[in-house]
C-alpha cells in the first residue's frame, strides 16, 4: 500500500500526494516542475520530497523559502509516521502510512539527504519528467499504443483528453501501429506513467504547443497516411526514429508546414540517456541535446 498525504487545510482542498515504493520520491510545490502541484503562493517551486520504500517514510525539505514543518517543528529531513501533520506554506497535510509488512527491508541505517536527492534527480526517467515539465506551454504525447498497450487503461482512468488517429482500431487487436494523441497536464500523474512505460522503447514522442488539443490533433491528422481501409499506414511523427528521419530532410518551408501549431518535439535519442528537442529555425530544424545519465 502507498503512503498518502491529504490536504486538510489550505488554498487547495483537493490535493493528494500518493507515494509508492515504485514511484518514490514524489515532490510537492507550486511549480509544474513538481510532481504534485499545489496552488499555494507560499510554497517553493519544488518545496519538499517524500520517500517511501514500503516500510519507512522520509520527508526532505528541498531548500524551500518558508520551510517545512512536521507536527509543528521545522525540519530539513524527518521520518514520517501514520497520523503526522505536515505544514508547508499555507497548506497542511495529514499522513496516512500503510506499510507492506511482509516486504519490509532490513534496516541498514537512515536515508541520507544525498541518497534521497540522488534518487530524485539522477534517474534518467526523473530527468525526462523534469525536462518536460520545464516547458512553457501545453504538453502532449503521441503514444504508440501498439508498443505500450498497458497504458490504455491508465490513460482512460487519468481523465485527460486523448484521441486515436485510427478510431476504428479494436483495442484488443492494435496491430503493428496504433498512435494516439494524449494531453498531459503538468499536475497529472500521467506524465510519470507515460515516461515510465515508453522511455527506452521508442513508443512515444512529446509535443509542446500554445494551442488547444483539438487544433494540435487536427494538424497531426493532416500528416497521417491512411490506407484504403481507413487504417493508419504510418506517420512522420509517432516514433522517435521516424521523427528524426523526417526532420533531417526538412527544408525551412517543410519544417514550417510540419510543425504548424507545434512549438517543439521532444523524444529519446538512440541512446535513452539523451533527450532531444527539435524546434524550427531559419535553416529548417534546430536540435538540442539534453544528457540524462551521470
Amino acid at each position: 500500500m502507498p503512503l498518502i498525504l491529504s490536504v486538510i487545510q489550505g488554498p487547495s482542498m483537493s490535493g493528494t500526494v500518493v507515494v509508492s515504493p515504485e514511484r518514490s520520491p514524489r515532490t510537492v510545490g507550486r511549480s509544474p516542475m513538481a510532481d504534485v502541484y499545489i496552488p499555494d503562493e507560499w510554497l517553493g517551486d519544488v518545496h519538499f520530497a517524500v520517500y517511501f520504500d514500503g516500510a519507512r517514510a522520509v520527508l526532505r525539505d528541498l531548500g524551500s523559502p518558508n520551510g517545512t514543518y512536521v507536527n509543528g517543528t521545522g525540519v530539513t529531513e524527518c521520518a514520517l509516521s501514520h497520523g503526522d501533520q505536515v505544514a508547508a506554506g499555507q497548506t497542511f497535510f495529514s499522513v496516512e502510512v500503510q506499510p507492506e509488512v511482509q516486504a519490509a527491508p532490513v534496516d541498514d541505517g537512515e536515508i541520507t539527504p544525498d541518497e534521497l536527492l540522488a534518487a530524485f534527480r539522477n534517474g534518467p526517467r526523473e530527468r525526462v519528467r523534469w525536462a518536460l515539465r520545464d516547458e512553457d506551454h501545453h504538453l502532449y504525447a503521441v503514444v504508440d499504443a501498439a508498443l505500450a498497450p498497458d497504458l490504455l487503461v491508465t490513460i482512460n482512468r487519468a481523465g485527460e483528453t486523448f484521441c486515436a488517429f485510427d478510431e476504428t482500431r479494436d483495442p484488443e487487436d492494435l496491430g503493428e501501429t496504433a498512435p494516439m494523441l494524449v494531453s498531459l497536464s503538468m499536475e497529472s500523474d500521467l506524465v510519470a506513467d507515460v515516461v515510465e512505460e515508453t522511455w527506452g522503447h521508442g513508443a512515444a514522442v512529446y509535443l509542446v504547443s500554445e494551442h488547444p488539443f483539438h487544433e494540435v490533433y487536427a494538424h497531426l491528422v493532416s500528416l497521417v497516411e491512411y490506407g484504403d481501409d481507413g487504417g493508419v499506414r504510418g506517420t512522420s511523427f509517432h516514433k522517435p526514429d521516424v521523427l528524426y528521419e523526417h526532420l533531417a530532410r526538412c527544408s525551412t518551408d517543410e519544417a514550417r508546414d510540419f510543425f504548424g501549431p507545434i512549438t517543439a518535439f521532444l523524444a529519446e535519442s538512440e541512446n535513452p540517456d539523451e533527450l532531444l528537442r527539435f524546434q524550427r529555425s531559419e535553416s529548417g530544424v534546430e536540435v538540442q541535446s539534453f544528457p540524462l545519465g551521470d
Side-chain angles (χ1 to χ4, degrees), residues 112-160:
T112 68
D114 287 344
E115 290 172 337
L116 182 61
L117 292 177
F120 168 50
R121 292 195 174 121
N122 289 346
R125 286 175 173 79
E126 290 292 337
R127 292 183 180 182
V128 172
R129 289 162 56 193
W130 270 73
L132 293 176
R133 286 175 167 168
D134 202 34
E135 293 289 340
D136 291 333
H137 304 305
H138 301 305
L139 179 65
Y140 305 96
V142 175
V143 177
D144 189 346
L147 297 180
D150 292 343
L151 266 179
L152 286 175
V153 174
T154 303
I155 291 171
N156 266 299
R157 290 176 176 173
E160 298 280 8

Side-chain angles (χ1 to χ4, degrees), residues 95 120 154 157 199 221 244 286 288:
V95 179
F120 168 50
T154 303
R157 290 176 176 173
W199 192 261
V221 163
Y244 313 152
E286 176 186 351
Q288 294 175 291

Side-chain angles (χ1 to χ4, degrees), residues 61-119:
D61 182 88
L62 298 176
S64 64
N66 297 311
T68 303
Y69 297 81
V70 176
N71 299 327
T73 301
V75 301
T76 55
E77 180 177 336
C78 178
L80 292 179
S81 301
H82 184 84
D84 283 347
Q85 287 195 5
V86 175
Q90 295 183 334
T91 302
F92 292 78
F93 305 84
S94 64
V95 179
E96 180 182 359
V97 184
Q98 299 176 323
E100 292 281 6
V101 176
Q102 68 273 23
V106 175
D107 187 352
D108 58 354
E110 293 185 358
I111 301 167
T112 68
D114 287 344
E115 290 172 337
L116 182 61
L117 292 177

Side-chain angles (χ1 to χ4, degrees), residues 2-266:
L3 173 145
I4 301 174
L5 275 72
S6 301
V7 174
I8 57 175
Q9 179 180 328
S12 172
M13 290 300 292
S14 60
T16 302
V17 185
V18 180
V19 190
S20 66
E22 296 77 21
R23 296 178 61 189
S24 170
R26 300 280 281 163
T27 60
V28 177
R30 66 172 182 177
S31 163
M33 291 187 297
D35 292 319
V36 178
Y37 164 73
I38 301 290
D40 180 346
E41 64 180 2
W42 292 90
L43 287 177
D45 288 344
V46 184
H47 196 103
F48 66 84
V50 179
Y51 177 95
F52 184 57
D53 65 4
R56 294 180 300 159
V58 174
L59 179 146
R60 168 74 175 171
D61 182 88
L62 298 176
S64 64
N66 297 311
T68 303
Y69 297 81
V70 176
N71 299 327
T73 301
V75 301
T76 55
E77 180 177 336
C78 178
L80 292 179
S81 301
H82 184 84
D84 283 347
Q85 287 195 5
V86 175
Q90 295 183 334
T91 302
F92 292 78
F93 305 84
S94 64
V95 179
E96 180 182 359
V97 184
Q98 299 176 323
E100 292 281 6
V101 176
Q102 68 273 23
V106 175
D107 187 352
D108 58 354
E110 293 185 358
I111 301 167
T112 68
D114 287 344
E115 290 172 337
L116 182 61
L117 292 177
F120 168 50
R121 292 195 174 121
N122 289 346
R125 286 175 173 79
E126 290 292 337
R127 292 183 180 182
V128 172
R129 289 162 56 193
W130 270 73
L132 293 176
R133 286 175 167 168
D134 202 34
E135 293 289 340
D136 291 333
H137 304 305
H138 301 305
L139 179 65
Y140 305 96
V142 175
V143 177
D144 189 346
L147 297 180
D150 292 343
L151 266 179
L152 286 175
V153 174
T154 303
I155 291 171
N156 266 299
R157 290 176 176 173
E160 298 280 8
T161 304
F162 68 94
C163 193
F165 291 100
D166 177 5
E167 296 185 348
T168 66
R169 182 76 69 182
D170 182 352
E172 301 298 324
D173 182 17
L174 295 173
E176 296 182 0
T177 301
M180 61 192 303
L181 181 66
V182 183
S183 178
L184 299 175
S185 300
M186 295 302 186
E187 64 271 20
S188 170
D189 289 342
L190 189 57
V191 177
D193 292 327
V194 172
V195 171
E196 183 66 30
E197 292 295 326
T198 64
W199 192 261
H201 304 293
V205 168
Y206 301 91
L207 322 173
V208 180
S209 177
E210 298 180 14
H211 297 259
F213 182 93
H214 70 275
E215 292 184 15
V216 174
Y217 181 80
H219 172 70
L220 293 177
V221 163
S222 72
L223 304 177
V224 177
E225 298 176 16
Y226 290 97
D228 295 337
D229 61 354
V232 173
R233 288 176 49 192
T235 84
S236 48
F237 56 80
H238 77 286
K239 293 182 181 179
D241 56 345
V242 175
L243 179 69
Y244 313 152
E245 184 178 348
H246 179 80
L247 292 179
R249 301 194 305 264
C250 276
S251 66
T252 303
D253 290 343
E254 289 170 336
R256 180 197 62 227
D257 294 340
F258 182 75
F259 276 77
I262 296 166
T263 304
F265 290 88
L266 299 98

